[in-house]
Amino acid sequence: MTELDTRAAYDAVAPLYAELFSDVLRTLPLERAMLAAFADLVRDQGPVADIGCGPGHVTAHLTGLGLSAFGIDLSPEMIAIARRAHPDLRFEIGSMTALDLADGVLGGVLSSFSIIHTPPDELPVAFAEFERVLAPGGHLMLGFFAGDDPRPEAFDHKVALAYRWSPDSLVNLLRQNGFTEVGRMRREPHEGERPFHQVYLLVRKGCGDAVQIS
């Protein structure tokens, strides 16, 4: 599936997606805790990009945590909704594999369930972009669906083809692109969610000792 296919799929469902998910953080205390930890780590490091921001609810949450956050999304319809919902915040159309940002300008990058649609052979390109735009010591946090197989597992997501990843396999791929693990959170699916574990993985640009939280 190409980026154009993914963009078209999300453009088609953007109003419904915003209706369903714009208030979802209220019901997700573990995710809020991880976002708070991420905010504490990056607050003094520079601006933060919420990549795959959708209708902008997480970008707004990060701003409420004291960050200078802005959103980037592949879908023009999602960006239009985000701008209407949060007119005081910055939102841009863009691709995670070709970010329109200078080298080393960000203190943090959040990619919450936006890498799931990236074909596995293109994911190193995205990770290289994340590493490029982060300042030394900057932090990246990824949200994704976990799989048990060391290889990525495709599944039929309701919007577009998606992939589950073994957290350890993803950490290995991130390490190859200049990142070191800081911590992770893995939780059981809630009622009504897909029957997959959900993971938030926090990594830092550069080398150092990893600490696992799970």
Side-chain angles (χ1 to χ4, degrees), residues 115-200:
I115 65 164
I116 65 172
H117 300 297
T118 304
D121 60 346
E122 294 180 18
L123 199 53
V125 179
F127 287 170
E129 276 292 88
F130 295 167
E131 194 275 341
R132 179 183 67 80
V133 299
L134 278 168
H139 288 77
L140 162 67
M141 191 159 77
L142 299 173
F144 57 97
F145 293 108
D148 296 320
D149 195 304
R151 297 165 298 180
E153 303 170 71
F155 69 95
D156 187 19
H157 187 275
K158 291 180 180 179
V159 179
L161 178 67
Y163 299 87
R164 294 194 291 153
W165 283 86
S166 154
D168 288 340
S169 294
L170 211 53
V171 166
N172 288 336
L173 186 57
L174 286 159
R175 188 175 296 117
Q176 294 170 26
N177 284 272
F179 291 99
T180 300
E181 183 177 1
V182 175
R184 65 177 83 173
M185 184 275 288
R186 178 173 181 146
R187 72 160 173 85
E188 298 290 330
H190 295 163
E191 183 177 355
E193 292 181 335
R194 288 183 173 274
F196 306 144
H197 287 105
Q198 297 191 24
V199 174
Y200 271 85

Side-chain angles (χ1 to χ4, degrees), residues 53-78:
C53 65
H57 56 297
V58 180
T59 313
H61 185 79
L62 293 175
T63 301
L65 293 174
L67 302 183
S68 175
F70 64 97
I72 299 173
D73 200 277
L74 192 62
S75 163
E77 291 298 323
M78 287 290 194

Side-chain angles (χ1 to χ4, degrees), residues 77-89:
E77 291 298 323
M78 287 290 194
I79 290 297
I81 290 171
R83 287 171 175 168
R84 289 195 297 270
H86 309 285
D88 53 331
L89 300 182

Side-chain angles (χ1 to χ4, degrees), residues 17-39:
Y17 187 99
E19 180 181 343
L20 292 174
F21 294 107
S22 288
D23 195 36
V24 71
L25 279 175
R26 180 179 56 83
T27 66
L28 300 173
L30 294 179
E31 280 81 348
R32 293 199 308 271
M34 286 297 291
L35 289 170
F38 173 71

